[in-house]
Amino acid sequence: MFASKRLSKELSKLHDHLPPGIELIQADDFAEWLMDIRVIDSNPLYQDEVYRLKFSFSQSYPIEAPEVVFVKDATHPIPWHPHVYSNGIICLDLLDRQGWSPVHNVESICVSLQSMLTSNTKKERPPGDEQFVKYNTQRPRDINFVFHDNQV
Amino acid sequence: MASPSPIPYDRRSSRASSTAGQPASDLLVVGGPPNSPSPLELFLRASNLPSSKTRISKIPPDLHMLEYVSSCDTNLICLICHSPFDKPVKLACDHYFCRDCLDHAFEVQPDGHKTCPTCRGRVDTDTGVLPVPKILEKMLDELVVKCPNTKSGCTWVDSRVNVNDHVMLYCEYTLVECPSHECRLPIFQKEFHKGCLHYTLSCEHCHTSLMKKDLEVGYITQRHQKTHCSNRFTACPHCDAEVLRLDLKVHVNDSCPKMVIPCPGTILGCHFTAERTEVIKHENACPMATMAPHFRDQQARIERNEARFEPLARKVGILEDGLSNITNMLYPANPNDSSFPVTNPLDPNHSDAFPPAPLIPTPDFRLPPASFPPVPPTNDQSQTPFNNPSQPPFDSQVHHLLTLHDSLRDEVSRIANALTDLEGRTNMMIINENQRVKDEMLHTNAAINSMRMQLHWLMSATLHQRTSNSTGTSTARAGGSTSSNSNGNGRAQGASGASTSLGARAEASGTLHAPMRRLSDSTRQDTKL
């Protein structure tokens, strides 16, 4: 009840106003939303590409962080970033149990990811990407990332 | 405003008092000022406890769920629940949250390491959570909200500070438990005094089974007799006529004189729109309205024909598919040709390109080699639907497979026929060849036989000559230079003698043939004898 109330408020706000480069694609229920983001400035790594984010909310949102991953399909690639695995899982302290705070919301997550991509200059995947993508069976929220990079 | 609402309490408490024997209750409740609920509540609780039946099942309104009349200042909104603060608290870092929201957020954090959700600053839960300034509480109290029972029909709108009292005491639309001891279903507070209304009745007009509470007093939107019962008279919203609700739709659509309708000639472009009475007058003068029925007939006929055309078109598509399949089977050399002649067999221009000869089911071995292309014909068959874009799509996958299967079967039988034909031909050839070889062998045998005969004869002739000349051998040896020469001479003489004696039939030729024969004979003698 708590989650859906808050999500309905967020949704009406998103319908009302969205920051540039962020788009609400699908929000049929209070469990899974799809958002599209693109990098606004002229970072050549992300030029002309739109990335699709999948938000999965638990019942205890916003106390618990939502699960946010990039989704790959025909028109939406996974962006190159040293903290984004090629299966779409994002290593960002904001989305982790410790880094999450209930004052964050869908919009602020999107903006954070946008700026994370904007500031990136390296076209690479995190170290051990292949291994991780091959063997990871955990859900993103259960993975214990070690946050070593404070630049992002 | 509060005068009618405490009635259920009054009745219920009076009843409770009559059973519990507390005569002071009536006075207290009736005389109780509406804005001082606490003694009343206290009393209700007190009087209710002994009966052990939880009569007051009212749930206090959740401030997070309230609907605000106007949008609230964003500074008054809790960042966790995104609603105006409810019982706000302040952290040492000057960040404000609802008490409950903060508790929820702290719940998941490890003990001793509570941090502010906004700035992540350390928070001491004992001393760091402070009360908020009075002015903030005032501002929150003055927010105007709607009654949570608005959907049920309550129109109360007031400051948020009063909502609890309103819902708990005065709102007529708050659900309470039915007064009947056996019934536990909820009912609106204002109908509490009517006793249990949870029994089914049949509407006297339309004979629908309904619950009593819905029939007379229930939710505004479900009040059957006033708004739903189809057998009750109701006023037409356009004219003043009273019609049964059942007939209202028909009345409005077909006969209501005040209903604004367009001219029937609209489909032909008449833009006249007016009340029905006016439109009827207009119709007589409007040529388009007169034409409209005919046009409608035409339209209907066209639609019928189109509907009939649809399956025919599909059928033609299927047939074309089959035909082009057959064609591809017969001419697998150019299956990719989209403008294949047979797709349009009725076109006289293409009829020449489609000679009847290949239609013979058994394939002739002398067909152009293209009929056995290097690629297996099965491949061609399966590729044609993709290679031929202009070909109409197959009606269904099953049909496609069936066609494919048929064509493959035909192909197989064709190949089988060709094989038997080829076998017969080869057999024939072998037999003929054998015959020839046999004949030749016979010839050779005959020749060998004749030669043997000749040889025999020569041998006997030579022997004969030797015996006859045995007397003159001594002279021949003495006088002759070499034995071999004499032998050769003797044989030559014998041969010439034999040829002359033998050739009774050809004496002239015998002399001619003699040297040749001798030559061949001499060689044969060396090898064979």
Side-chain angles (χ1 to χ4, degrees):
Chain A
M1 200 62 197
F2 198 65
S4 56
K5 177 78 182 168
R6 151 115 185 212
L7 283 170
S8 68
K9 279 181 188 281
E10 278 193 47
L11 189 61
S12 62
K13 212 176 150 203
L14 288 178
H15 278 306
D16 217 33
H17 168 76
L18 272 173
I22 297 176
E23 229 176 302
L24 178 68
I25 300 301
Q26 184 197 320
D28 298 336
D29 50 18
F30 296 130
E32 203 174 285
W33 292 6
L34 292 180
M35 306 282 295
D36 269 5
I37 65 167
R38 68 191 159 78
V39 175
I40 308 160
D41 73 345
S42 54
N43 188 334
L45 275 179
Y46 309 112
Q47 201 82 53
D48 302 326
E49 285 191 344
V50 180
Y51 307 107
R52 180 152 291 181
L53 285 168
K54 188 176 84 178
F55 285 75
S56 310
F57 303 102
S58 72
Q59 281 299 311
S60 39
Y61 177 83
I63 302 303
E64 197 175 277
E67 201 177 287
V68 186
V69 290
F70 283 108
V71 191
K72 187 180 186 168
D73 60 25
T75 50
H76 301 89
I78 307 272
W80 284 96
H81 191 280
H83 298 161
V84 178
Y85 289 93
S86 50
N87 55 2
I89 289 179
I90 306 161
C91 171
L92 183 64
D93 69 335
L94 178 73
L95 300 174
D96 188 68
R97 211 185 298 263
Q98 271 77 46
W100 171 253
S101 160
V103 301
H104 292 304
N105 55 45
V106 172
E107 187 187 316
S108 71
I109 294 171
C110 287
V111 172
S112 302
L113 288 172
Q114 228 179 2
S115 71
M116 177 179 111
L117 294 182
T118 306
S119 58
N120 178 41
T121 52
K122 291 180 254 179
K123 190 186 177 178
E124 56 183 41
R125 293 276 177 223
D129 174 55
E130 251 176 63
Q131 204 73 3
F132 174 80
V133 172
K134 206 166 168 187
Y135 296 112
N136 178 52
T137 49
Q138 283 179 304
R139 305 191 59 186
R141 73 166 57 130
D142 300 327
I143 301 169
N144 281 316
F145 288 113
V146 180
F147 303 103
H148 57 279
D149 189 353
N150 294 322
Q151 305 294 310
V152 188
Chain B
M1 76 172 178
S3 52
S5 29
I7 287 175
Y9 284 90
D10 173 46
R11 288 179 61 84
R12 198 198 45 69
S13 55
S14 66
R15 200 152 48 90
S17 68
S18 64
T19 49
Q22 285 175 341
S25 62
D26 269 344
L27 273 173
L28 185 57
V29 174
V30 173
N35 56 352
S36 61
S38 42
L40 180 69
E41 268 183 310
L42 279 174
F43 165 75
L44 288 175
R45 212 162 290 149
S47 68
N48 208 39
L49 277 174
S51 72
S52 82
K53 203 161 184 229
T54 51
R55 269 302 137 95
I56 306 172
S57 58
K58 293 181 180 181
I59 307 151
D62 183 354
L63 292 190
H64 289 301
M65 299 300 165
L66 286 181
E67 198 180 330
Y68 292 79
V69 171
S70 56
S71 61
C72 175
D73 187 339
T74 47
N75 293 312
L76 295 179
I77 285 181
C78 168
L79 280 173
I80 296 179
C81 62
H82 287 204
S83 324
F85 289 114
D86 171 25
K87 299 193 280 303
V89 289
K90 190 181 99 167
L91 295 180
C93 51
D94 248 354
H95 290 122
Y96 292 75
F97 300 99
C98 304
R99 176 80 252 182
D100 290 347
C101 295
L102 193 65
D103 287 345
H104 279 304
F106 279 168
E107 242 169 56
V108 294
Q109 296 182 357
D111 285 332
H113 290 278
K114 310 290 187 194
T115 56
C116 167
T118 304
C119 66
R120 294 178 204 271
R122 283 287 291 274
V123 176
D124 185 349
T125 42
D126 296 328
T127 59
V129 184
L130 310 165
V132 298
K134 268 279 169 285
I135 184 162
L136 179 62
E137 283 183 1
K138 281 273 183 207
M139 285 168 78
L140 290 168
D141 283 347
E142 280 168 16
L143 291 172
V144 181
V145 296
K146 290 180 187 169
C147 174
N149 296 323
T150 302
K151 281 200 184 100
S152 307
C154 185
T155 53
W156 183 87
V157 172
D158 203 354
S159 305
R160 197 176 81 165
V161 69
N162 294 327
V163 73
N164 199 51
D165 287 353
H166 168 75
V167 171
M168 297 308 283
L169 293 173
Y170 309 121
C171 182
E172 295 180 330
Y173 293 93
T174 303
L175 289 174
V176 294
E177 254 180 37
C178 181
S180 161
H181 284 260
E182 289 75 34
C183 182
R184 287 243 162 190
L185 293 168
I187 189 147
F188 287 137
Q189 178 169 310
K190 64 171 183 166
E191 282 145 20
F192 187 84
H193 64 278
K194 291 181 181 166
C196 182
L197 299 175
H198 297 104
Y199 54 92
T200 45
L201 273 184
S202 151
C203 170
E204 54 186 295
H205 300 288
C206 65
H207 304 289
T208 316
S209 288
L210 293 156
M211 262 201 181
K212 174 77 174 165
K213 74 177 174 91
D214 297 328
L215 197 58
E216 275 180 20
V217 286
Y219 304 93
I220 282 188
T221 50
Q222 291 175 7
R223 227 172 260 182
H224 174 75
Q225 289 200 341
K226 280 198 180 155
T227 56
H228 281 77
C229 181
S230 52
N231 279 357
R232 299 234 336 170
F233 277 101
T234 183
C236 170
H238 305 289
C239 61
D240 297 331
E242 285 266 319
V243 286
L244 287 179
R245 186 172 283 114
L246 196 64
D247 301 330
L248 184 62
K249 216 176 234 172
V250 181
H251 166 76
V252 168
N253 283 346
D254 292 346
S255 59
C256 177
K258 297 274 181 198
M259 182 68 189
V260 176
I261 54 163
C263 167
T266 316
I267 50 168
L268 297 182
C270 180
H271 295 300
F272 186 79
T273 301
E275 287 180 359
R276 193 183 300 276
T277 43
E278 292 296 313
V279 169
I280 288 169
K281 276 183 211 160
H282 161 81
E283 249 178 67
N284 293 328
C286 178
M288 289 186 252
T290 336
M291 292 298 291
H294 299 287
F295 268 87
R296 221 169 282 132
D297 277 356
Q298 298 270 353
Q299 192 66 33
R301 197 175 300 161
I302 288 170
E303 268 161 23
R304 264 206 310 279
N305 283 338
E306 267 171 4
R308 230 178 288 155
F309 169 77
E310 191 71 19
L312 287 179
R314 212 174 306 143
K315 214 169 177 179
V316 167
I318 294 168
L319 290 177
E320 267 179 4
D321 276 356
L323 195 57
S324 62
N325 257 343
I326 293 168
T327 322
N328 286 338
M329 199 181 71
L330 292 175
Y331 289 104
N334 52 348
N336 297 343
D337 189 4
S338 57
S339 62
F340 203 65
V342 182
T343 51
N344 192 359
L346 300 176
D347 192 345
N349 295 337
H350 291 294
S351 52
D352 310 341
F354 186 48
L359 281 175
I360 296 163
T362 49
D364 199 333
F365 198 62
R366 269 169 303 234
L367 267 180
S371 61
F372 292 103
V375 193
T378 49
N379 273 359
D380 279 345
Q381 294 292 334
S382 62
Q383 279 164 9
T384 39
F386 309 106
N387 292 341
N388 197 349
S390 74
Q391 199 176 26
F394 285 104
D395 195 42
S396 69
Q397 197 66 25
V398 176
H399 178 245
H400 175 201
L401 288 176
L402 280 177
T403 332
L404 212 64
H405 174 245
D406 274 358
S407 58
L408 285 177
R409 196 158 48 186
D410 287 355
E411 191 70 16
V412 165
S413 66
R414 202 163 68 99
I415 290 170
N417 281 340
L419 276 178
T420 44
D421 204 37
L422 189 64
E423 202 184 346
R425 222 169 275 275
T426 320
N427 278 347
M428 211 57 169
M429 232 163 67
I430 289 168
I431 287 167
N432 284 346
E433 196 71 12
N434 272 355
Q435 200 60 44
R436 212 168 57 81
V437 170
K438 254 182 205 165
D439 284 356
E440 238 162 62
M441 276 171 76
L442 276 180
H443 274 291
T444 320
N445 271 357
I448 288 173
N449 266 347
S450 67
M451 271 190 271
R452 190 188 286 150
M453 290 279 282
Q454 247 170 320
L455 195 66
H456 253 283
W457 189 84
L458 278 175
M459 289 288 279
S460 57
T462 316
L463 284 176
H464 187 69
Q465 209 173 5
R466 259 188 206 164
T467 47
S468 60
N469 288 353
S470 61
T471 51
T473 44
S474 54
T475 54
R477 273 181 189 166
S481 52
T482 55
S483 61
S484 63
N485 259 355
S486 73
N487 250 351
N489 284 342
R491 210 175 277 167
Q493 283 166 359
S496 59
S499 65
T500 45
S501 58
L502 250 182
R505 37 195 175 169
E507 277 163 346
S509 68
T511 52
L512 271 173
H513 280 284
M516 287 171 75
R517 276 263 177 93
R518 208 185 295 143
L519 265 175
S520 66
D521 272 355
S522 66
T523 51
R524 285 236 178 125
Q525 204 173 16
D526 288 340
T527 50
K528 274 204 170 176
L529 291 179

